[in-house]
Amino acid sequence: MRVAIAGAGNVGRSIAQELIDNGHQVMLIERQPKMLRPDRVPAAEWVLADACELSSLEEADVAGCDVVVAATGDDKTNLVLSLLAKTEFAVPRVVARVNRAENEWLFTEQWGVDVAVSKPRVMAALVEEAVTVGDLVRLMTFRQGEANLVEITLPPTAPYVGQPIHAVPLPRDSALVAILRGKRVLVPSPDDPIEAGDELIFVCTAEVEDEVRAVILGPDSVERTRSSR
């Protein structure tokens, strides 16, 4: 993929290096000359420009990018760039960094954001994922399709423990995409049994989260979750 990243601070550079290591072509856009440090990520293309300026984005050929990442430390800048990338350049995928939790509600498809990444939300999700057994934990939201990445760690009492995946009646608009078992990552196949302690990773819409929880953990799990909040 060709990826444009606005913001060449620690976050932007880390994302760039990770993508380059995975074989992608990366362009870093930075408006502050003192932040231009090509030696930090030498394999990236570096551009001195204001990511909120339409002419600068045209010159950088943002329209030719598969993904734009708005990774600056300013939420206003990230929102403006997201909107321009989607509406003016029809970039297929826009990922935006949320710096202040109170601004998270703005980072929606109306502003061109497909995926919003909030540090507080991600950290809270990781904490929940690490300590929660027998409940559904939302790890990430994909705004454009209103779908979520969620995790359930199976307790021994879960109704389908020991049964093959094809026996689990998942609702529409949900899919089991991975099973974490110990140190292994398993790609689910219909005949694979699920085991107590498995971390099941699903993609599903927000509307069917309770249905997924009820199927995987039992019909009374939804009511238990609500009463505990």
Side-chain angles (χ1 to χ4, degrees):
M1 296 186 299
R2 184 168 186 258
V3 183
I5 301 173
N10 290 331
V11 173
R13 293 198 307 270
S14 296
I15 297 169
Q17 190 60 62
E18 186 76 20
L19 290 170
I20 289 168
D21 290 344
N22 289 332
H24 302 295
Q25 181 184 353
V26 175
M27 173 174 58
L28 274 164
I29 303 172
E30 176 57 55
R31 69 181 181 86
Q32 298 184 48
K34 66 179 182 180
M35 294 298 293
L36 280 181
R37 299 172 182 173
D39 57 303
R40 297 288 183 92
V41 191
E45 175 188 356
W46 288 73
V47 176
L48 179 63
D50 187 340
C52 292
E53 291 287 341
L54 198 59
S55 58
S56 297
L57 297 177
E58 287 175 347
E59 189 173 339
D61 189 26
V62 167
C65 292
D66 302 290
V67 183
V68 163
V69 182
T72 78
D74 182 78
D75 285 342
K76 292 179 182 177
T77 298
N78 292 343
L79 284 170
V80 170
L81 171 59
S82 298
L83 187 62
L84 290 175
K86 185 65 71 175
T87 60
E88 298 294 331
F89 300 100
V91 175
R93 194 74 166 166
V94 177
V95 179
R97 172 188 177 186
V98 184
N99 293 279
R100 299 178 65 86
E102 61 266 30
N103 294 331
E104 190 172 353
W105 66 277
L106 288 165
F107 286 73
T108 64
E109 61 182 4
Q110 282 73 31
W111 276 94
V113 178
D114 296 311
V115 181
V117 182
S118 167
K119 285 184 180 180
R121 169 171 286 187
V122 170
M123 290 179 71
L126 290 173
V127 170
E128 288 187 285
E129 186 272 335
V131 302
T132 303
V133 176
D135 198 6
L136 180 147
V137 177
R138 186 179 295 173
L139 301 177
M140 184 175 290
T141 298
F142 303 100
R143 297 288 187 179
Q144 189 177 41
E146 296 184 354
N148 299 319
L149 186 70
V150 302
E151 183 266 354
I152 298 175
T153 300
L154 284 183
T157 55
Y160 291 96
V161 167
Q163 297 194 40
I165 291 170
H166 68 74
V168 182
L170 287 176
R172 184 180 178 181
D173 297 327
S174 66
L176 176 63
V177 295
I179 299 174
L180 308 184
R181 182 174 295 161
K183 296 183 178 180
R184 300 177 62 200
V185 178
L186 307 177
V187 177
S189 64
D191 294 326
D192 290 337
I194 56 176
E195 302 176 1
D198 280 355
E199 295 181 49
L200 306 182
I201 309 297
F202 298 89
V203 173
C204 63
T205 61
E207 288 76 14
V208 301
E209 281 185 3
D210 280 350
E211 294 179 55
V212 171
R213 182 189 281 111
V215 168
I216 300 300
L217 299 172
D220 62 338
S221 62
V222 176
E223 195 57 44
R224 286 201 313 268
T225 299
R226 287 174 177 166
S227 63
S228 67
R229 289 175 179 171

